[in-house]
Amino acid sequence: MSTMLSAPRGALSDHDEVGHDGAEILSLVVNHPEFERFRLSTLAYPECWATFTGYPLVAGWDLDQDGPALFDEALRVMCLKAAVFRLTDGDEQAAELMCAPPVDEMIHALIAQFTLLVRIQQSLGIAFVHSTDMERFGWNPGDYTHRCYRVAGWGDLNPRYWISASEVARRLAVLREKYSNIGIHDDGRRHDFDFGQVI
């Protein structure tokens, strides 16, 4: 494993370093004895995954078909974030990498497996990082996250889930119009349903 490197707060590590380190972390996680349980647990409760502005941005979204592939994307990002965190001597802000909303939503599903995730990171000596107050959106092809991903050797980003910032904005406008037509407002934070008579 790479040794911990110091960097100024908020500064990003060299993407080559992060990519190589992230790939090494992913290999450790995937080969951990509890990985399969972690993977299956993440995919086990799809009824809890419903969101209005993450997964629905994927064209023709199908939870059963898309879940496993999106799990892979989210885990890769988590490993890159862990690499940045380690290489910047624990800089949470730097480690909160830019990613597309559907990938971020799956990250939430992964970190919901709290007990397993804690055991895995403790046994491997790594720290997975995710803080909603530091989340950043606006991912675009060729950015820092993309470069780290390539260096890690994971091939091209899956364009089905890695949606550029401008396309996210366009799709959100489409979704908001459709939601509004059925009484759902503010990206799902408010609706007009009264559910009829209370029993």
Side-chain angles (χ1 to χ4, degrees):
M1 290 291 242
S2 302
T3 56
M4 190 80 76
L5 301 177
S6 293
R9 299 289 293 173
L12 295 172
S13 290
D14 179 85
H15 64 269
D16 285 330
E17 256 187 322
V18 173
H20 291 302
D21 216 47
E24 190 173 350
I25 291 170
L26 179 65
S27 178
L28 288 170
V29 172
V30 169
N31 288 295
H32 189 277
E34 293 202 87
F35 172 74
E36 190 59 15
R37 181 181 170 205
F38 173 60
R39 187 184 72 81
L40 292 174
S41 296
T42 301
L43 298 173
Y45 297 102
E47 66 273 12
C48 299
W49 290 11
T51 65
F52 290 86
T53 59
Y55 298 139
L57 292 172
V58 176
W61 168 249
D62 182 325
L63 194 56
D64 292 334
Q65 296 298 314
D66 289 308
L70 200 47
F71 172 90
D72 291 343
E73 297 297 328
L75 183 59
R76 289 168 178 171
V77 171
M78 285 182 65
C79 291
L80 291 176
K81 288 165 61 167
V84 173
F85 189 71
R86 182 168 65 183
L87 293 165
T88 58
D89 199 19
D91 188 333
E92 274 187 82
Q93 186 174 359
E96 201 54 66
L97 298 181
M98 199 80 72
C99 69
V103 178
D104 182 69
E105 289 295 343
M106 181 58 82
I107 288 174
H108 294 175
L110 268 68
I111 62 177
Q113 314 313 314
F114 179 75
T115 307
L116 278 171
L117 200 59
V118 166
R119 278 207 302 269
I120 290 170
Q121 67 181 3
Q122 285 177 342
S123 70
L124 296 177
I126 58 175
F128 289 118
V129 184
H130 190 80
S131 301
T132 53
D133 62 335
M134 295 187 186
E135 278 185 314
R136 295 178 295 158
F137 297 103
W139 176 84
N140 281 299
D143 75 345
Y144 179 76
T145 305
H146 196 170
R147 295 193 304 274
C148 293
Y149 189 105
R150 283 177 174 158
V151 171
W154 301 326
D156 291 327
L157 296 167
N158 189 330
R160 180 163 175 76
Y161 312 116
W162 288 92
I163 306 166
S164 70
S166 60
E167 181 61 10
V168 164
R170 188 189 73 79
R171 292 185 189 191
L172 278 175
V174 172
L175 285 174
R176 285 168 180 152
E177 182 178 357
K178 291 182 180 294
Y179 290 152
S180 180
N181 288 339
I182 59 171
I184 296 174
H185 312 286
D186 300 333
D187 296 334
R189 294 186 297 275
R190 181 173 63 85
H191 66 64
D192 300 334
F193 310 151
D194 64 12
F195 300 105
Q197 183 178 358
V198 177
I199 298 175

